[in-house]
Amino acid sequence: MYKAARRLGLVFFPAFDWAISPTHPEREERLLYTQDQVLEEGILDIDGIYEYRPRLATVADVERVHVCVPDVMSRVTASHLIAAGGAIVAAEAVLKGEVDKAFAIVRPPGHHALRIVHGARGFCNINIEAIMIEYIRRHYGKKRIAIVDTDCHHGDGSQDIYWHDPDTLYISLHQDGRTLYPGTGFLDEFGGPNAFGYNLNLPLPPETGEEGFLYALDHFILPVLADFKPDLVINSAGQDNHYTDPITNMRFSAQGYARLNDRLQPDIAVLEGGYSIEGALPYVNVGIILALAGLDYSGIREPDYSPARVAQSSRVSDYIARLCDETYKAWQQRETLRAAYVRDKKEISRRRQIYYDTEGLMETQEETTLVCDSCGGLTWIDSRTDRGRHILAIFIPRDACRRCQEEGHALFERASAGAYRDGIYLQDRVADQLLKK
Amino acid sequence: MFVGLDMGGTHTDAVLIAGGRILRHYKTNTDPEDYLGTVTRALEAILAGINPSSIKRLNLSTTICTNAIVTGRSSPVGLLLEPGPGLNPALLACGQKNFILSGSIDHRGRPTSPLVEAEIKAADRELQQAGIRHLAIAGKFSTRNPEHELAIKEALSPGYDFITMGHRLSGWLNFPRRVFTAYLNSAVAATYSSFAAAIETFTTKKKLPVAPDILKADGGTLSLEASQSLPVETILSGPAASIMGALALAPTWQDAIILDIGGTTTDIAFLAGGVPLYEPQGISLAGYPTLVRALFSYSLGLGGDSCLQVQEGRLTIGPGRQGPARALGGPAVTPTDALITLGRLDLGDKAAARQGIAELGDKLGLGTLHMAAAILQQMAGEIARQSRALLAKINSRPVYTVREVLAGKQLQPAQVIVIGAPAPLLAAELEAAFGLPVIVPHLAGVANAIGAALSQPTTELTLLADTEQGLLTVPEEGLREKIPAGFNLERARNRALELLRERLVRLAPEVAGTELEVVEEQSFNMVSGFYTTGKNIRVKVQVKPRVTPLKGDADDV
């Protein structure tokens, strides 16, 4: 019988009894055909492939990453906690050495969920990768982690959560934000003042084919990873770059995804988007599973695959080559660029608006970060929504220096509850707790 | 009167049951060179002097197919596969001649590429030239639409002796298992068919008013006639016979562990609320995972005849068996010798047993009686440890819905039911090792034959409806029919139960009134763009598995 060259853990949670709404792309049926394909191929019988049972993530696991307004249980359903818990189960299987790699095929996804959560964005309420990563760091020690986000949409939530974290390299490949939700993910989104350069975006033009993705992998992602030397590589495995996906415009195939994963070899992959639930997901997921397990994936092919469907124009190829070159250069020059960006500022602020598409909600954030050479830096965000919510969220990073810790607590003490009608939150990652007043 | 016969690898047990009592019990050695002789010898003994017209049921559990596979005494099989795109099919080529054919069906049963007739014709010629008479045809997703499997058969020359069609074996998805199951079914068909013919001759000659039923690995039975097209269903039914026997002897509504302690192995099984647990996929035989539904049973290499050794200051029990106990002239000391030494068993040369235990004791610095007690304690401890490990594994089986994760139902055995010859003698040690009440039913030593006698027909069926395509498929029946608009889960459930009832009448007319149950049902909206285009409905129904209770109720047992 088949034997995997690398031991692979699978957490399969199709949530057959949960949907956003009956006709929503994120609905009960989404992983049905993937499960059919996985079962029919006999993948769970393969020696070296083990299936794990998902569990619920705890409120504390979520609060380690997010400030949910007013609280976690108002913003999630059980399914969100199981998707996050499923990712944690996958990660633990790897970190305990039970398997070499793991793939969490769970739903709903999470990469559009930002640090502050007022509601759902792009089908995401909480960021399941980030919850998994911070769980890993809390229980298995400090790690340098690289996230390679291959979802077709820019992972603005993951970018936001790791914006100030130099120990987490976030690389996103996605369809250019000028043509797709959420409209972010450009080259100049390069990281906060204390993690400048550790957020890398590669906005690909619509109709990028197999060739373009693999080019970006070889000429940009793998070289950057070689420089960063992560302890763990996580793949945010969105599968909506597929040529049949109904809500995007790319030309990637199951073979392409399998080859990408074969070369990238992430330690943990977590399913993100992908809404071609019949034409793509069964084949893409099986392709990724085989590639991660070191099995022959050359026979994986969509029924309607043809070279014409995955071809890309030479204009696209030239554009991607220039893009990779420019972004890789920026990465190499990140220290110089940071010095120019920070100069002699003590703190750096930004103001932005965040749109919650599911609920039609607009949030305005004023974010300030202390410039700090010894940690990710204290950050605080004044957040208001157009529904009248108003909070202050203070973030003390994981490895905060003494000054940033003290300033954070002082700010929490000082801030007047009267000024923020919906509360003042302090996420203290050093103490691993969330305080609210 | 009910007759049950369980043919094991070493022994064959037969019982005659009437009025809630075992009237007769006969034990004989299984002759692997002559299964039919073994069966007839046992039946002759049980039926001697009995009026044939009083026999209401004759159930047999046989190892004939298992043995044919394990010893390789099976027919050469030509394998015709339609794997389509996916996993490399090279490892599935288990036949004597294997053909990978073009064509493919997708997960919703839609043909996505056509068969190529010339390939099938070429395969046919090669099979004819090689003189291969037994074939197996298996396609990926053939359970979702059998038309390609049927077309392959149609394109072959007529007159092959036996052809297994993959979609008829099971409604479960799993192409590799479908291939192996189809292969095994064809490989044992000839051996099984001659055995069945001989049994039929025997019952006719004896003027028995009932046709024999054959025990399956899922603890149910199948008529002799029906079993001839599905001989693979009769593999490894021995553990099922024991589990059903335990259930008949010690009925319970609790979670429980069932132990069948034999000479070479201890088989461990579980009850969830009194119902036996199934293998999640199907049983494995001789390295082939199959789709044959089976009761969950784990065979631990630890029994009364396991050889005892002291290695590096530690006592080991099994997993090997070198022969009978020292008391019975065997070469190695065994747990049976410990039982004899402690005076719990009156058997063979007691001095030899004592001597053997004393030798082991010397190596560990223990007195003879202490040594004997330590052996039994360790044996019970190892059985308990293994049972707990299996339980942990079962309790961490994956689940796929929010409801199941939240429910988090865990199997928590409240008792241990022990059968097998040494069962009563080990009860105290087992009770200590498990920390649970241990029940040793009366007649624990012949539970397997009782289980065979009291098992009832079972069958199952899978119904898939795709309202967008307007089609309904029942793979086990080879059925594909049109459905009207407005077809829904309720109508699907009713249709499935109706078809199951018809199947049961055909396979086992005598129990046509048995209770049926829905095991699984799901209905998914299928959406194209942002509009619902139909429903994908899946229903699994089965005959509720049960045993005739040994005493009481309306049955005459």
Side-chain angles (χ1 to χ4, degrees):
Chain A
M1 272 305 284
Y2 300 100
K3 186 166 169 32
R6 285 179 288 271
R7 293 169 304 158
L8 175 67
L10 288 180
V11 176
F12 192 75
F13 182 65
F16 283 149
D17 51 355
W18 184 87
I20 288 183
S21 73
T23 57
H24 197 280
E26 181 47 86
R27 62 179 178 274
E28 295 95 335
E29 182 201 9
R30 187 171 155 232
L31 292 178
L32 180 65
Y33 307 113
T34 293
Q35 188 188 41
D36 282 352
Q37 200 78 35
V38 166
L39 293 177
E40 180 68 349
E41 296 287 1
I43 283 179
L44 302 178
D45 283 336
I46 294 174
D47 190 8
I49 294 187
Y50 309 96
E51 196 184 8
Y52 286 82
R53 181 192 187 115
R55 62 175 166 86
L56 288 148
T58 64
V59 167
D61 293 333
V62 180
E63 288 182 338
R64 193 175 291 128
V65 171
H66 294 289
V67 166
C68 292
V69 186
D71 53 38
V72 172
M73 293 316 288
S74 323
R75 293 288 148 238
V76 301
T77 64
S79 198
H80 295 104
L81 294 176
I82 300 169
I88 290 174
V89 168
E92 288 210 292
V94 173
L95 287 150
K96 285 181 182 161
E98 293 170 9
V99 292
D100 302 311
K101 298 186 178 297
F103 187 11
I105 307 178
V106 295
R107 56 177 283 265
H111 77 153
H112 294 306
L114 281 71
R115 269 174 302 179
I116 295 176
V117 176
H118 287 288
R121 301 184 68 255
F123 326 158
C124 304
N125 293 47
I126 52 173
N127 197 305
I128 61 177
E129 280 93 353
I131 292 169
M132 171 187 88
I133 289 171
E134 295 317 310
Y135 181 95
I136 293 174
R137 286 175 163 147
R138 176 56 50 185
H139 293 92
Y140 296 90
K142 182 177 169 166
K143 302 235 183 270
R144 277 166 81 75
I145 293 178
I147 304 170
V148 179
D149 188 329
T150 50
D151 190 282
C152 192
H153 302 86
H154 176 234
D156 54 349
S158 304
Q159 167 169 305
D160 184 53
I161 289 165
Y162 290 109
W163 188 250
H164 300 291
D165 185 351
D167 290 328
T168 310
L169 172 68
Y170 179 72
I171 307 176
S172 179
L173 262 74
H174 49 266
Q175 184 175 329
D176 195 313
R178 289 169 297 186
T179 62
L180 193 68
Y181 180 90
T184 52
F186 299 98
L187 266 58
D188 61 348
E189 294 164 37
F190 204 49
N194 308 316
F196 206 61
Y198 292 89
N199 192 91
L200 299 171
N201 286 303
L202 203 70
L204 299 168
E207 315 221 312
T208 295
E210 208 134 305
E211 187 194 333
F213 282 93
L214 297 174
Y215 183 94
L217 180 77
D218 290 341
H219 296 86
F220 168 61
I221 298 175
L222 294 178
V224 169
L225 290 178
D227 296 341
F228 183 69
K229 300 188 178 60
D231 299 315
L232 285 173
V233 175
I234 315 289
N235 179 210
S236 270
Q239 313 193 337
D240 38 6
N241 288 295
H242 196 263
Y243 62 83
T244 60
D245 198 277
I247 59 178
T248 62
N249 314 89
M250 303 303 242
R251 305 186 127 208
F252 212 24
S253 68
Q255 263 303 308
Y257 270 105
R259 279 158 65 194
L260 185 138
N261 275 277
D262 192 9
R263 293 193 219 170
L264 179 64
Q265 286 300 334
D267 298 285
I268 304 160
V270 178
L271 182 69
E272 278 291 342
Y275 301 95
S276 171
I277 62 177
E278 277 212 68
L281 287 185
Y283 311 102
V284 176
N285 281 320
V286 168
I288 294 176
I289 290 170
L290 298 184
L292 292 179
L295 288 156
D296 177 7
Y297 56 82
S298 61
I300 301 295
R301 214 172 67 107
E302 301 83 344
D304 59 355
Y305 178 90
S306 74
R309 300 199 72 155
V310 297
Q312 78 186 22
S313 71
S314 59
R315 225 187 79 241
V316 167
S317 305
D318 295 345
Y319 181 84
I320 292 172
R322 281 203 311 278
L323 200 62
C324 288
D325 188 44
E326 197 178 327
T327 318
Y328 186 58
K329 278 193 183 127
W331 158 255
Q332 287 177 307
Q333 294 161 11
R334 61 195 179 280
E335 294 302 332
T336 322
L337 292 170
R338 175 178 187 253
Y341 172 59
V342 171
R343 266 175 294 171
D344 49 4
K345 295 196 197 75
K346 295 273 178 284
E347 54 183 56
I348 287 184
S349 298
R350 58 174 179 163
R351 183 191 162 90
R352 54 193 180 131
Q353 291 205 308
I354 294 151
Y355 182 59
Y356 289 72
D357 55 321
T358 308
E359 14 236 305
L361 184 93
M362 187 65 85
E363 177 194 8
T364 305
Q365 285 192 358
E366 286 188 45
E367 176 185 318
T368 308
T369 301
L370 295 185
V371 172
C372 185
D373 288 323
S374 28
C375 76
L378 177 72
T379 296
W380 62 93
I381 298 175
D382 181 309
S383 156
R384 287 172 193 274
T385 71
D386 57 3
R387 305 272 164 83
R389 278 199 196 278
H390 187 201
I391 65 152
L392 175 69
I394 305 161
F395 299 92
I396 295 176
R398 199 185 319 110
D399 298 319
C401 65
R402 219 184 149 77
R403 178 191 62 135
C404 286
Q405 285 186 56
E406 283 169 3
E407 297 244 350
H409 284 282
L411 179 56
F412 183 68
E413 291 302 319
R414 194 166 69 231
S416 143
Y420 304 94
R421 52 172 287 196
D422 297 293
I424 298 159
Y425 297 80
L426 171 65
Q427 186 190 78
D428 181 350
R429 285 208 186 157
V430 176
D432 195 31
Q433 63 180 355
L434 182 79
L435 302 175
K436 186 189 174 185
K437 68 171 187 181
Chain B
M1 283 189 247
F2 285 12
V3 176
L5 179 143
D6 177 56
M7 178 188 277
T10 318
H11 292 119
T12 293
D13 285 295
V15 291
L16 179 70
I17 303 176
R21 292 191 306 121
I22 311 297
L23 288 190
R24 285 183 185 171
H25 168 228
Y26 179 79
K27 197 181 201 70
T28 180
N29 289 328
T30 301
D31 178 358
E33 299 303 316
D34 184 13
Y35 286 115
L36 191 65
T38 309
V39 172
T40 47
R41 187 164 68 249
L43 290 181
E44 294 279 11
I46 279 290
L47 295 173
I50 299 284
N51 178 4
S53 65
S54 61
I55 302 298
K56 295 274 180 349
R57 191 192 285 173
L58 171 56
N59 285 352
L60 309 176
S61 156
T62 163
T63 55
I64 184 155
C65 288
T66 311
N67 198 272
I69 293 160
V70 174
T71 58
R73 272 181 285 190
S74 54
S75 314
V77 175
L79 203 53
L80 297 136
L81 302 183
E82 186 200 40
L87 218 59
N88 187 338
L91 290 176
L92 304 181
C94 55
Q96 278 61 46
K97 290 244 176 232
N98 304 284
F99 304 92
I100 307 288
L101 304 175
S102 301
S104 56
I105 303 275
D106 79 357
H107 46 262
R108 275 182 61 199
R110 296 169 300 204
T112 50
S113 64
L115 289 169
V116 174
E117 176 128 1
E119 289 176 6
I120 306 169
K121 294 285 184 210
D124 187 43
R125 274 194 303 278
E126 203 177 322
L127 288 164
Q128 296 279 356
Q129 275 162 18
I132 290 181
R133 313 294 313 145
H134 295 75
L135 306 186
I137 303 171
K140 193 170 285 173
F141 285 118
S142 66
T143 54
R144 294 284 159 90
N145 177 359
E147 72 181 49
H148 279 189
E149 280 188 6
L150 294 166
I152 292 168
K153 184 180 181 187
E154 200 58 35
L156 296 168
S157 313
Y160 284 99
D161 289 347
F162 194 92
I163 301 182
T164 303
M165 309 285 277
H167 68 275
R168 299 303 288 262
L169 297 168
S170 162
W172 291 101
L173 291 177
N174 195 319
F175 179 62
R177 284 177 183 258
R178 187 174 310 122
V179 171
F180 295 137
T181 314
Y183 162 76
L184 293 174
N185 198 53
S186 291
V188 298
T191 308
Y192 187 76
S193 151
S194 59
F195 171 80
I199 292 290
E200 225 159 350
T201 311
F202 173 83
T203 54
T204 315
K205 209 171 69 195
K206 283 274 160 200
K207 295 199 174 57
L208 292 181
V210 291
D213 282 348
I214 306 296
L215 199 74
K216 298 186 294 175
D218 70 351
T221 61
L222 195 61
S223 73
L224 185 66
E225 192 196 339
S227 69
Q228 291 186 55
S229 61
L230 286 169
V232 72
E233 291 272 359
T234 71
I235 61 170
L236 293 176
S237 57
S242 302
I243 296 165
M244 297 314 266
L247 215 52
L249 292 170
T252 177
W253 287 268
Q254 290 184 302
D255 292 354
I257 300 172
I258 295 181
L259 301 176
D260 180 3
I261 305 178
T264 320
T265 63
T266 293
D267 293 337
I268 305 167
F270 298 91
L271 300 179
V275 178
L277 227 60
Y278 289 91
E279 286 283 344
Q281 290 261 6
I283 207 162
S284 285
L285 179 62
Y288 295 111
T290 76
L291 286 171
V292 174
R293 202 161 88 126
L295 299 185
F296 176 87
S297 171
Y298 179 88
S299 201
L300 177 65
L302 207 62
D305 296 341
S306 292
C307 74
L308 299 172
Q309 280 176 301
V310 172
Q311 286 169 330
E312 290 160 21
R314 279 181 54 243
L315 173 72
T316 61
I317 312 177
R321 172 188 188 270
Q322 294 180 357
R326 182 70 70 84
L328 298 172
V333 192
T334 70
T336 301
D337 291 312
L339 289 170
I340 294 168
T341 302
L342 288 172
R344 294 194 204 173
L345 187 62
D346 184 8
L347 191 73
D349 180 350
K350 287 171 201 146
R354 209 183 155 79
Q355 176 60 31
I357 299 291
E359 282 166 19
L360 288 177
D362 287 347
K363 292 187 194 167
L364 291 173
L366 287 177
T368 309
L369 290 180
H370 274 122
M371 185 67 226
I375 290 165
L376 300 182
Q377 243 173 47
Q378 181 167 336
M379 183 169 169
E382 287 182 22
I383 293 170
R385 198 162 43 251
Q386 186 60 45
S387 301
R388 287 191 200 105
L390 291 171
L391 200 59
K393 231 170 159 178
I394 288 164
N395 280 332
S396 62
R397 276 183 193 170
V399 291
Y400 303 120
T401 59
V402 175
R403 186 175 48 77
E404 290 169 301
V405 175
L406 294 182
K409 193 184 161 351
Q410 300 278 297
L411 201 62
Q412 285 178 313
Q415 53 179 266
V416 184
I417 302 167
V418 193
I419 56 172
L425 312 176
L426 280 166
E429 280 78 8
L430 290 169
E431 202 150 283
F434 277 91
L436 288 172
V438 167
I439 293 159
V440 181
H442 181 52
L443 298 172
V446 287
N448 56 340
I450 294 171
L454 300 181
S455 290
Q456 299 203 20
T458 52
T459 182
E460 57 164 359
L461 180 147
T462 317
L463 181 145
L464 303 152
D466 184 326
T467 65
E468 188 183 12
Q469 295 185 76
L471 280 172
L472 174 157
T473 310
V474 178
E476 296 94 333
E477 290 286 285
L479 182 80
R480 200 157 160 80
E481 64 187 25
K482 284 208 160 62
I483 47 173
F487 194 83
N488 57 19
L489 181 59
E490 193 190 341
R491 291 169 75 172
R493 189 190 306 133
N494 292 337
R495 182 75 182 122
L497 290 170
E498 179 186 37
L499 287 166
L500 182 65
R501 177 78 59 203
E502 287 170 17
R503 182 179 172 89
L504 186 61
V505 168
R506 199 176 66 242
L507 298 182
E510 70 278 10
V511 288
T514 303
E515 193 181 347
L516 310 182
E517 66 180 349
V518 177
V519 193
E520 239 179 80
E521 56 177 34
Q522 294 165 323
S523 175
F524 294 94
N525 283 330
M526 294 187 287
V527 179
S528 183
F530 286 87
Y531 297 97
T532 305
T533 52
K535 286 190 186 299
N536 191 315
I537 302 171
R538 297 154 179 214
V539 181
K540 220 168 173 47
V541 290
Q542 70 173 5
V543 172
K544 207 169 179 171
R546 59 185 209 122
V547 288
T548 309
L550 189 55
K551 273 179 195 167
D553 92 7
D555 292 300
D556 77 330
V557 177

